[in-house]
Amino acid sequence: MAQAAAVAKPPAPPRRRRASATPRRLPYLLIAPAALLMLGFIAYPVLSVFWYSLRDYNPTKPWRNGFAGLDNFTRIFTEDPLFRDTLVFSAKWVFVEVGLQLMFGLALALIVNQTFVGRALGRALVFSPWAVSGVLTSAIWVLLYNSQTGITRYIADMGIGEYGVSWLSDTSTVFPAAVVADLWRGVPFFAILILADLQSVSKDLYEAAEVDGAGRFKQFWHITLPHLKDAIILSTLLRAVWEFNNVDLLYTLTGGGPAGSTTTLPLYIANTSVDAHDFGYASALTTVAFVILLFCSMVYLRLSKFGGEK
């Protein structure tokens, strides 16, 4: 009986091997070196700027270097009128540039999204300025604005204006001249992103709207724009940050002049650190600019409801 019971007893199920943790951790181990390297390149400069913002640091005057506490920040908000002037101009520059770039970029994206002969060539011409660096862009426009060989001479040949006029040396014309130069480079950025999102809009929506009697404007307002909402919000935010930090074009094109009329806050920071060698105060200005950008970005994403329902 005991043997029969032993034979009738079902065999014990095989033990499940404990899954090895190594395969699960392998992807993280593979990307760890690159992640640590990127963290070092990002974290060290940011932390060093915060540290120098609390110090007086001028390599040309080492006897004055030392811990300053919040003196640099007190100087920014109470003693430095250039900070307020450059901040106001930076806000004006960002608002005008981003608004115009979005408007023209959206128009170009809608145009090149249509089917026409030579569309590939048209897209290449539209997007080509984005491949040009900021310094090269400013060099091109410096030649175009040259008072002897540039646009103003040909306009004067047509009887409009006078010879020898330099738009970059006149406080009344330097801002629109700089805006046009940066538009040439910035518009393709919006056109590329918006065109990529336009490709994903289902044509069935437009066909259904035509059946219901909706015209082109209603199709654009109720189908195209809602679909482009997230792309527009993201592109405007990225471009606003880039335009706020714009140094290369304005530095090469105008140098912040004439009379400081085109000096943005980042350009003022660059002049303070590179020309005046006041790295402590420049770091404090950079910290304030970082906080302003972070706050404005958070408010913009909050108010625009990025990622929400379209």
Side-chain angles (χ1 to χ4, degrees), residues 275-286:
D275 296 339
H277 304 289
D278 194 350
F279 291 96
Y281 189 63
S283 298
L285 289 170
T286 304

Side-chain angles (χ1 to χ4, degrees), residues 32-304:
L36 292 175
L37 190 63
M38 291 181 62
L39 182 62
F41 276 105
I42 295 175
Y44 175 75
V46 172
L47 294 177
S48 63
V49 166
F50 290 157
W51 168 246
Y52 283 117
S53 67
L54 302 175
R55 298 176 58 84
D56 288 326
Y57 182 71
N58 190 328
T60 62
K61 301 176 181 178
W63 58 88
R64 294 185 180 180
N65 296 342
F67 186 75
L70 298 178
D71 291 348
N72 288 327
F73 296 96
T74 303
R75 176 183 167 189
I76 290 174
F77 294 107
T78 60
E79 303 175 11
D80 190 357
L82 290 178
F83 168 73
R84 293 186 292 270
D85 294 341
T86 55
L87 182 60
V88 170
F89 177 77
S90 296
K92 176 184 175 182
W93 173 262
V94 170
F95 181 79
V96 173
E97 278 293 342
V98 175
L100 292 177
Q101 289 177 21
L102 173 61
M103 182 176 64
F104 289 114
L106 177 59
L108 278 177
L110 292 173
I111 292 173
V112 297
N113 191 45
Q114 304 299 317
T115 302
F116 56 89
V117 178
R119 183 174 66 171
L121 178 61
R123 288 181 175 181
L125 293 176
V126 168
F127 300 152
S128 58
W130 180 245
V132 182
S133 67
V135 175
L136 183 57
T137 298
S138 57
I140 293 172
W141 285 93
V142 164
L143 294 176
L144 289 175
Y145 289 144
N146 188 282
S147 59
Q148 303 298 324
T149 59
I151 299 174
T152 55
R153 177 181 177 180
Y154 293 100
I155 293 178
D157 289 339
M158 294 185 292
I160 304 174
E162 300 178 354
Y163 288 99
V165 175
S166 177
W167 290 347
L168 298 178
S169 301
D170 191 341
T171 54
S172 62
T173 57
V174 64
F175 180 73
V179 165
V180 171
D182 199 49
L183 278 177
W184 182 78
R185 184 181 63 164
V187 167
F189 170 77
F190 283 95
I192 293 170
L193 289 185
I194 294 175
L195 178 62
D197 208 23
L198 281 174
Q199 303 294 313
S200 62
V201 182
S202 176
K203 295 182 180 180
D204 295 338
L205 297 175
Y206 294 105
E207 293 175 358
E210 289 181 1
V211 172
D212 292 337
R216 286 187 175 271
F217 178 77
K218 287 187 176 181
Q219 292 178 25
F220 172 77
W221 188 260
H222 295 286
I223 298 177
T224 306
L225 272 185
H227 186 86
L228 296 176
K229 174 192 169 188
D230 286 347
I232 291 176
I233 293 173
L234 180 61
S235 59
T236 51
L237 177 61
L238 291 175
R239 196 61 189 162
V241 173
W242 293 340
E243 288 297 343
F244 183 87
N245 293 319
N246 191 337
V247 173
D248 53 356
L249 186 137
L250 286 176
Y251 182 82
T252 312
L253 198 65
T254 67
S261 58
T262 59
T263 302
T264 59
L265 181 56
L267 186 55
Y268 176 44
I269 294 172
N271 292 333
T272 302
S273 59
V274 177
D275 296 339
H277 304 289
D278 194 350
F279 291 96
Y281 189 63
S283 298
L285 289 170
T286 304
T287 302
V288 173
F290 171 78
V291 173
I292 291 173
L293 280 179
L294 181 62
F295 175 77
C296 292
S297 299
M298 293 174 60
V299 171
Y300 178 69
L301 291 176
R302 182 73 174 179
L303 295 178
S304 62

